[in-house]
Amino acid sequence: MTAPAPAPGPATAPVHVPAKRWVYVIPVAAFMYMLAYLDRNNVSVVLPYMHGDLRLSNADKGLVSGIFFLGYVFLQIPAAVLAQRWSARKTVLILMVAWGLAAMVCAFVQTKEQFYAARFALGFFEGGVWPAVLILLASWFPLRERARANALWMACLPLSSIIMAPLSGLMLDHASWRWVLFLQGVPPLVWALVWWFAVADRPAQARWISRAEAAHLESALAADEAAKPAPAGGGSYLKAVRKPQVLLLIGVYFCWMTGFYGFSLWLPSVVKELTHGGSSTEVGLLTAIPFALALAAMIGNAAWSDRTGRRRAAVAGPLVAGIAALLLGQVVDGGFPQMVLLCVTAVAVYAPYGPFWAIPGELLRFEVVAVAMGLVNALGNLGGFAGPYLVGWLTDVTGTQLTGFAVLAGFLAVAAGLVTFGLRPVATAPLESQPPAATRFAQR
C-alpha cells in the first residue's frame, strides 16, 4: 500500500481523522455478514422443529451444524490473497451471491446426506468472506482504531441472533422449516447490489469522501506499516505463517471456536428445554436475550482494549468467565439462574472478537497479514465443527448435556491459557501514547 508521508507521531497535536468511514463501511459490511451468520446459524433454530424429518440423531444434528466448518476452510487463504492483491469488494460480492444460492439449496434436501452436502457447500462459499472483510477494514481503519472497527463489524454476529432468532421462530410458527431456509437465503442476493455500489476497496477509490480526507487516512495507514519492522529475508507468506505468534493464534482460535460454536449452536435447544417445550416464537425471543448482552460486551470490551492496549487481558478475561458460567450452568437447576448463566457465557465467548482480530495487524505487515488471518480463521474455525459435534455425540452417549458442555469449558480453558502464557505481550501504553505496533508483542 502506498501513501503520502507518514502521519505525525504521538508528540504532535492530533489531526482530525475523517469519520465517514464509520458510517459507510461498517454498517454495509456488518449487515452483509449478519446475513451470512443467519444462513450459518438458522439451522440451530430449525433443528428442534424438524419433527423427525430426515431422521436425525443428536450426533447427526451436531454434524449438520458442524460440517459447515469443514467447507469453511477451503477458501480462507485464497479469498484473503484475492482481497489483498485484487479486490476485497469484488471477492465478497462473488461469494455473497454463491452462498445465497447454497443457502436456498438447503431447503430442498431429502436425506441427511444431502443436508450434509448442502451445508458443506454453504460453508465453502461463506469461508472466504471473513478474511476478505478483515482485509477491507485494514485498508480503512488505522491500528489505533482497529479493535473498535473489528468489534463494530463483528457486532453483526450477536445482532444477527438478536434479530433473526425471534424472526426464525416466528416464521416456523407459520411456515415449514424448508420455507424458512429458502426465504432466508434470498436477502444476500439482494444485498449484493447494495454492497457493489456502497463499498470501495480503499479511501482513494471512495466517492463519498474528499480527496484530502482520503489522503490523510491513507497516510495514517502508511504510518502504521512503516512502524513495523521489515521481515528478514523478505515478506514471504510461508515465513509469516510460521511465526510462533501466528501458530499460537491458531491454537487460541481453534479452542475458543470449539467452545463458542458448541455453545451457540446448541443454545436454542437448551432454551427450549428451559421453557418445557415452549413455542418456537417464545424460544426465539428468549434465545435473543444472551446475544443482546453479548453485543454490548463486544463493543465495550473492544473500546477498552483500544484505550488501554491490553489485548491479552481483553481476550483471556472473558474466556475465564465463560468457563465458570458453562460449568455452573450444568449444576444449577433450570429456570432463571440457568438463563443468567447462559447470558454470562454468551457475553464471555463474544467479547474477545474485536481485540483478538486486532492482534494479527499489530504483528505482521499488510502484505502478509492477509494469509496469516486466513490461516488463523481457517484452522481455528475447525473448532466450529468439533464443538457442535462433540456436544451432540456426548449427549447421545451419556444421555445428558453435562459432559458436552464440560468439554467445551475445557477448550475455553486451553484458549485462555494460551493467550495468558503463550502470546507473552509486552505491556502496551494507552492509546494516547501508544508506541509503534510492532513493539507491543514479544517476538518469541
Side-chain angles (χ1 to χ4, degrees):
M1 183 189 303
T2 59
T12 307
V15 179
H16 173 69
V17 178
K20 283 188 176 180
R21 64 197 181 281
W22 297 96
V23 178
Y24 280 81
V25 178
I26 295 292
V28 175
F31 190 78
M32 176 275 299
Y33 207 77
M34 186 172 72
L35 298 177
Y37 203 66
L38 164 66
D39 288 334
R40 175 188 314 184
N41 277 15
N42 56 10
V43 69
S44 67
V45 180
V46 164
L47 284 173
Y49 297 94
M50 290 179 68
H51 307 300
D53 291 359
L54 310 185
R55 291 187 283 275
L56 300 174
S57 67
N58 283 319
D60 292 332
K61 291 177 182 179
L63 188 56
V64 165
S65 299
I67 201 169
F68 169 97
F69 295 97
L70 294 184
Y72 196 79
V73 170
F74 290 93
L75 290 185
Q76 292 286 319
I77 293 176
V81 174
L82 277 176
Q84 189 254 322
R85 292 191 172 184
W86 178 47
S87 167
R89 172 176 171 248
K90 294 176 183 176
T91 300
V92 172
L93 177 76
I94 293 169
L95 293 173
M96 200 184 315
V97 172
W99 106 57
L101 295 174
M104 295 166 71
V105 167
C106 291
F108 297 97
V109 299
Q110 300 298 320
T111 67
K112 65 181 181 182
E113 289 78 15
Q114 291 175 1
F115 209 179
Y116 298 155
R119 290 280 298 172
F120 180 91
L122 179 63
F124 181 84
F125 292 119
E126 277 192 24
V129 177
W130 183 271
V133 175
L134 285 173
I135 295 302
L136 181 74
L137 297 183
S139 300
W140 277 97
F141 297 91
L143 283 172
R144 71 199 313 260
E145 302 171 341
R146 194 71 54 79
R148 281 169 292 161
N150 288 345
L152 285 172
W153 167 53
M154 296 171 191
C156 64
L157 305 184
L159 188 60
S160 175
S161 298
I162 293 168
I163 298 172
M164 301 306 182
L167 177 61
S168 295
L170 182 62
M171 291 174 71
L172 282 166
D173 277 340
H174 297 88
S176 71
W177 62 269
R178 294 184 185 277
W179 271 109
V180 171
L181 295 181
F182 179 83
L183 292 174
Q184 291 182 351
V186 174
L189 305 182
V190 177
W191 197 250
L193 295 174
V194 178
W195 175 269
W196 178 252
F197 290 107
V199 173
D201 279 308
R202 49 184 48 87
Q205 299 171 354
R207 292 172 294 194
W208 37 263
I209 61 174
S210 70
R211 296 307 93 194
E213 289 176 331
H216 177 79
L217 186 53
E218 296 217 19
S219 176
L221 293 164
D224 284 342
E225 293 302 302
K228 302 173 190 176
S236 73
Y237 292 145
L238 183 59
K239 288 182 179 179
V241 300
R242 289 174 61 185
K243 282 180 173 287
Q245 303 100 316
V246 174
L247 299 177
L248 280 167
L249 288 172
I250 291 171
V252 171
Y253 202 52
F254 174 83
C255 293
W256 171 22
M257 289 298 101
T258 299
F260 175 90
Y261 282 109
F263 165 77
S264 61
L265 289 173
W266 280 96
L267 178 59
S269 296
V270 176
V271 172
K272 186 181 179 185
E273 289 185 7
L274 291 179
T275 62
H276 304 292
S279 71
S280 53
T281 300
E282 181 183 2
V283 171
L285 288 170
L286 287 175
T287 299
I289 295 174
F291 295 114
L293 298 173
L295 172 62
M298 280 182 70
I299 296 172
N301 192 43
W304 179 81
S305 172
D306 273 347
R307 187 174 65 252
T308 65
R310 297 180 64 186
R311 306 292 195 210
R312 178 179 65 168
V315 175
L319 293 180
V320 171
I323 296 164
L326 268 178
L327 294 176
L328 284 173
Q330 305 312 305
V331 297
V332 169
D333 289 335
F336 181 74
Q338 192 165 12
M339 190 65 191
V340 169
L341 291 169
L342 289 175
C343 291
V344 173
T345 305
V347 165
V349 297
Y350 275 95
Y353 262 109
F356 178 85
W357 284 108
I359 293 173
E362 295 182 337
L363 296 176
L364 300 167
R365 295 178 65 85
F366 185 79
E367 59 267 22
V368 293
V369 74
V371 167
M373 289 194 296
L375 187 66
V376 170
N377 199 42
L379 299 183
N381 264 295
L382 288 176
F385 170 78
Y389 183 74
L390 276 173
V391 173
W393 178 72
L394 288 170
T395 300
D396 278 342
V397 170
T398 64
T400 174
Q401 292 177 334
L402 171 62
T403 50
F405 280 89
V407 169
L408 298 185
F411 275 98
L412 292 181
V414 174
L418 289 175
V419 170
T420 304
F421 303 108
L423 286 179
R424 299 178 56 164
V426 175
T428 306
L431 183 141
E432 291 78 8
S433 58
Q434 242 174 354
T439 66
R440 296 178 200 155
F441 285 82
Q443 298 302 311
R444 63 184 186 278

